[in-house]
């Protein structure tokens, strides 16, 4: 076995991940842990300042309810999420996050985030729930608060360690194991409670960008399904594994469209000029009541555009020039003011990209796009798993103590595994939390995890012989490489192993062709899912044969294995749900209609640690009375 040092870290609370939800968890948990003399340890695969989906910055905070100014109520937000997810949402969780999110946003501002204000000192909204920010350093600001809180409570921050497997003591979490991505160290974390906040997953499906652009995606490449893998392998019940997210974005550089639709009130059209939201309006009847209420759910908006693409009416375009001209038109009688407004709008358009997707600005520049003169191509991206955004996949977690929710078995945000909590993209059926809501949810879970430790915490019982076996399995790709690398003239072509990139291509091809990726125009069926699962069982066998030259490739290898489990949970749940509820996310051609009678319910799954079998189950939807 590769000669890597074993480092054992003992802690009370282990936070896996360092993104928005984990930073929220750390900030809050450290506060309570300090009072109780407990230790909090946060482990991030990357460096906290720039890790996770907000690494590059954002131009808007997407969840702000505005309760103090009477702008909206928490119940309004619950209705909004119910509507956007076609009736499938955990209203208790959405409610809980919504009632706490404003205070999180106020903390962000206190910590130094610049939120735009108007002349009256009120926040500038992008849309009903979104606030405009100068967000290039958004993640650094939030990370600094988490770092300070951890340091103040005497906790530990460990960066560049990739968490692989959970450690269990019966049905109770006991910690995790992982490895250094820069140093040859194998880590064993022993903990009384664990929070899984390792984001969602990308590159499960083949991206549109292949070849020279390979790796480019809407979702950040470093989130590879670790939260899902960790909770599934711990034996936790999972929910909404079929609810992937497909954003429509500016094509090829995946630039954001929110500011265009919400702030600039732009239209999207087909190549023939038809506004697909109008021309296909009648299709929305099939998805009543959701299709008939504004805002139209994101997946249905996607779907109406996809109808045009399927009919050969692509490319689709964002009418940027028209939108800018429309806004500036109010100054048409004053040429000086008109010119000034045009300049202002032009710079806002570019800043939107420079704040969060710089490559889109570069692509526009390289393709001579002037948004004020010419429209720009948009397209549906490949599918992603991001339960905090408009997808919903994640662990099935316990609801808040004070609501009469039927989903309650202890501590808020605790999974069905004792002491294991899930947050952000890691917790399911509570979509539309975004950056602020994920942080708020992290705070909720952080406090609850400390409460769990105080009330039920016991020293973790970790079987070190089992850990030694895990170490051998986790480092095996290095051993395979060392053992066989000299057997062929090209070390990347070898019958005894495959390289992580080769494995990744195979996984992505499978998902693309059988589970409704870009190549299959987001369509799948029972037969395709079944064949996909058959091929996946062989792929999983071959996952034992991945080789790695170094820690960098070892990370790639384990990212792939984690993605594969996310992929399997996804196909199994699409297969289980015999209807098409989110046609703009995936379309089951053999069950093309929405079926509220049989499927207005959660589709949950659970992998059995003893037998290795998957169990699929329906769970009832609970709606908050009177909402
Ligand atoms: C392109 C894009 C645009 C967005 N735009 C907006 C917006 O405009 N406004 C808004 O409010 N929200 C936006 N969001 C949503 C927001 O970014 C997410 O809701 C939020 O980041 C989710 O928090 P999280 O903690 O679950 O995941 P993340 O913030 O992504 O954090 C995941 C963390 O887990 C770590 N990690 C991953 N794997 C491992 C492992 N194996 N071991 C240890 N650590 C690991 C990562 O390094 C990272 O620190 C956007 C998201 C995307 C992808």
């Amino acid at each position: 076995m590769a000669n890597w040092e074993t480092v054992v870290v003992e802690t009370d609370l282990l936070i896996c991940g360092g993104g928005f939800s984990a930073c929220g968890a750390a900030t809050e948990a450290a506060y309570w842990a300090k009072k109780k003399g407990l230790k909090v340890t946060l482990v991030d695969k990357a460096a906290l300042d720039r890790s996770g989906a907000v690494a590059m910055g954002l131009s808007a905070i997407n969840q702000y309810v505005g309760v103090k100014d009477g702008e909206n109520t928490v119940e309004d937000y619950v209705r909004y999420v119910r509507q956007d997810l076609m009736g499938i949402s955990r209203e208790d969780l959405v409610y809980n996050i919504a009632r706490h999110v404003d205070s999180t946003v106020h903390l962000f501002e206190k910590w130094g985030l610049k939120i735009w204000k108007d002349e009256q000192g009120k926040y500038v909204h992008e849309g009903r729930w979104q606030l405009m920010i100068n967000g290039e350093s958004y993640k650094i600001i939030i990370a600094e608060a988490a770092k300070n809180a951890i340091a103040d409570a005497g906790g530990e921050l460990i960066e560049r360690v990739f968490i692989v497997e959970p450690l269990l003591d019966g049905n109770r979490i006991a910690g995790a194991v992982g490895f250094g991505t820069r140093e040859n160290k194998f880590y064993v974390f022993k903990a009384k409670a664990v929070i899984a906040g390792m984001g969602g997953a990308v590159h499960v499906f083949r991206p549109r960008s292949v070849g020279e652009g390979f790796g480019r995606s809407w979702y950040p490449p470093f989130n590879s399904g670790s939260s899902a893998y960790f909770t599934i392998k711990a034996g936790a019940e999972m929910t909404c594994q079929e609810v992937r997210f497909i954003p429509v974005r500016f094509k090829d550089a995946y630039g954001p469209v929110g500011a265009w639709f919400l702030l600039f009130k732009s239209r999207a059209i087909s190549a023939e000029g038809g506004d697909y939201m109008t021309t296909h309006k009648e299709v929305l009847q099939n998805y009543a009541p959701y299709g008939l209420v504004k805002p139209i759910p994101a997946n249905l908006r996607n779907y109406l555009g996809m109808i045009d693409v399927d009919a050969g009416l692509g490319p689709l375009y964002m009418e940027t020039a028209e939108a800018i001209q429309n806004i500036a038109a109010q100054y048409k009688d004053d040429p000086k003011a008109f010119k000034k407004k045009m300049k202002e709008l032009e710079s806002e358009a570019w800043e939107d990209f420079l704040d969060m997707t710089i490559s889109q600005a570069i692509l526009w520049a390289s393709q001579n796009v002037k948004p004020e003169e010419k429209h720009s191509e948009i397209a549906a991206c490949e599918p992603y798993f991001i339960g905090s955004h408009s997808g919903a996949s994640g662990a099935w977690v316990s609801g808040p103590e004070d609501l009469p929710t039927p989903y309650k078995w202890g501590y808020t945000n605790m999974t069905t595994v004792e002491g294991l909590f899930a947050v952000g993209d890691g917790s399911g059926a509570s979509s539309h939390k975004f950056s602020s809501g994920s942080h708020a949810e992290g705070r909720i879970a952080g406090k609850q995890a400390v409460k769990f430790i105080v009330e039920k915490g016991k020293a973790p019982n970790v079987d070190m012989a089992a850990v030694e076996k895990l170490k051998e399995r986790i480092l095996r790709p290095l051993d395979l490489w060392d053992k066989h690398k000299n057997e062929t003239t090209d070390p990347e072509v070898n019958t005894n192993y495959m390289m992580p990139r080769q494995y990744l291509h195979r996984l992505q091809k499978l998902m693309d062709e059988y589970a409704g990726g870009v190549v299959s125009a987001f369509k799948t069926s029972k037969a395709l899912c079944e064949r996909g699962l058959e091929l996946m069982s062989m792929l999983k066998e071959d996952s034992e044969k991945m080789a790695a030259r170094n820690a960098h490739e070892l990370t790639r290898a384990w990212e792939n294995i984690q993605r594969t489990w996310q992929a399997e949970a996804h196909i199994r749940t699409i297969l289980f749900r015999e209807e098409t509820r989110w046609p703009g996310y995936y379309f089951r051609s053999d069950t093309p209609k929405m079926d509220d009678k049989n499927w207005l319910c959660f589709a949950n799954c659970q992998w059995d640690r003893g037998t290795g079998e998957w169990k699929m189950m329906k769970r009832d939807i609970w709606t908050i009375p009177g909402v």
Side-chain angles (χ1 to χ4, degrees), residues 316-335:
L316 303 181
Y317 289 104
M318 179 73 84
E319 285 286 59
T320 56
E322 176 192 80
I324 288 183
Q325 296 290 344
N326 283 348
I327 299 174
Q330 47 186 306
Y331 302 91
K332 65 180 185 323
D333 299 330
D334 179 347

Side-chain angles (χ1 to χ4, degrees), residues 339-356:
K339 207 171 154 200
K340 191 168 164 240
K341 189 68 189 169
M342 283 296 285
K343 271 267 153 255
E344 189 186 307
L345 292 168
E346 195 191 320
S347 77
E348 275 176 15
W350 286 92
E351 191 195 325
D352 186 43
F353 292 159
L354 292 170
D355 260 355
M356 59 187 286

Side-chain angles (χ1 to χ4, degrees), residues 17-22 43-46 51-54 58 60-62 161-163 197-199 218-220 222-223 226 356 386 388-389 423-425 434-436 438 562:
F20 260 64
S21 60
V43 184
D44 192 353
K45 165 189 182 179
S51 65
V54 191
L58 294 178
I61 290 174
N62 280 359
V161 168
F162 184 92
I163 296 286
M198 294 172 280
W218 173 79
Y219 195 59
F222 20 79
N223 283 351
S226 300
M356 59 187 286
I386 175 166
S388 69
H389 206 289
V423 288
D425 293 328
F434 302 102
S435 59
S436 44
S438 295
Q562 297 192 333

Side-chain angles (χ1 to χ4, degrees), residues 280-597:
H280 300 305
K281 213 170 156 201
E282 81 288 353
V283 174
L284 297 172
Q285 302 281 348
N286 300 335
Y287 300 94
Y290 319 107
L292 306 181
V293 180
K294 286 202 168 150
I296 309 289
N299 87 86
L300 293 180
R301 288 184 312 224
N302 285 1
Y303 181 51
L304 300 192
M306 286 170 187
I307 293 174
D308 272 359
V309 173
D310 281 356
L313 300 180
L316 303 181
Y317 289 104
M318 179 73 84
E319 285 286 59
T320 56
E322 176 192 80
I324 288 183
Q325 296 290 344
N326 283 348
I327 299 174
Q330 47 186 306
Y331 302 91
K332 65 180 185 323
D333 299 330
D334 179 347
K336 220 170 140 196
F338 181 81
K339 207 171 154 200
K340 191 168 164 240
K341 189 68 189 169
M342 283 296 285
K343 271 267 153 255
E344 189 186 307
L345 292 168
E346 195 191 320
S347 77
E348 275 176 15
W350 286 92
E351 191 195 325
D352 186 43
F353 292 159
L354 292 170
D355 260 355
M356 59 187 286
T357 315
I358 298 159
S359 46
Q360 184 69 55
I362 296 169
L363 189 70
W364 264 12
S366 69
Q367 293 182 346
N368 303 325
V369 174
K370 291 186 179 165
E372 68 281 16
E373 288 177 9
K374 188 179 163 189
H375 59 199
S376 207
E377 211 181 325
I378 53 173
C381 306
E382 59 278 357
Y384 308 107
F385 298 90
I386 175 166
S388 69
H389 206 289
S390 310
S393 53
W396 182 245
V397 298
S398 188
E401 292 164 305
D402 61 326
L403 291 187
T405 159
Y407 325 110
K408 202 159 40 177
W409 51 91
Y411 298 81
T412 317
N413 276 84
M414 192 170 86
T415 67
T416 54
V417 175
E418 237 196 315
L420 174 60
F421 294 74
V423 288
D425 293 328
S427 90
S430 48
S431 319
H432 292 279
K433 325 175 226 204
F434 302 102
S435 59
S436 44
S438 295
H439 194 276
E441 191 184 30
R443 288 174 58 207
I444 293 164
K447 186 173 176 186
Q448 288 286 310
V450 171
K451 188 166 183 259
F452 172 85
I453 295 169
V454 170
E455 291 173 358
K456 295 203 174 155
K458 61 168 189 167
N461 181 20
V462 174
D463 175 356
M464 286 309 279
V467 166
E468 203 47 33
K469 278 198 194 136
L470 273 176
K471 182 178 179 185
E472 186 282 320
R473 172 64 193 100
I474 288 171
L475 300 185
R476 194 182 303 159
L478 298 166
D479 298 334
L480 269 174
W481 170 262
D482 262 356
K483 192 163 166 209
H484 298 291
K485 65 175 187 278
N486 294 326
E487 290 170 6
T488 52
T489 45
D490 180 347
E492 295 205 354
V493 182
N494 195 308
T495 50
N496 289 299
Y497 59 69
M498 68 173 120
M499 303 310 293
R501 184 181 271 253
Q502 294 162 336
Y503 180 97
L504 182 64
H505 286 313
R506 205 167 126 192
L507 170 68
Q508 291 183 343
K509 179 173 160 59
L510 191 165
M511 294 304 286
D512 202 22
E513 294 176 2
Y514 297 93
V518 171
V519 154
S520 25
F522 311 109
K523 293 180 186 65
T524 183
S525 65
K526 180 172 187 279
L528 281 163
C529 285
E530 284 174 350
R531 176 70 181 139
L533 283 175
E534 203 179 334
L535 292 170
M536 185 166 284
S537 68
M538 296 174 219
L539 179 72
K540 279 178 90 178
E541 264 177 45
D542 290 348
S543 69
E544 303 277 327
K545 298 278 183 195
M546 252 186 292
R549 273 173 269 238
N550 47 39
H552 177 72
E553 281 188 351
L554 189 65
T555 308
R556 300 286 93 86
W558 278 101
E559 285 173 347
N560 285 343
I561 292 175
Q562 297 192 333
R563 285 187 179 107
T564 307
W565 283 70
Q566 172 64 85
E568 184 173 359
H570 185 51
I571 301 189
R572 285 186 185 280
T573 317
I574 289 184
L575 189 56
F576 181 61
R577 181 181 280 283
E578 294 176 327
E579 63 156 356
T580 297
R581 179 165 293 265
W582 302 275
Y585 291 167
Y586 73 87
F587 198 92
R588 245 193 80 162
S589 309
D590 53 337
T591 55
K593 296 207 165 120
M594 187 172 83
D595 173 7
D596 259 355
K597 190 162 161 275

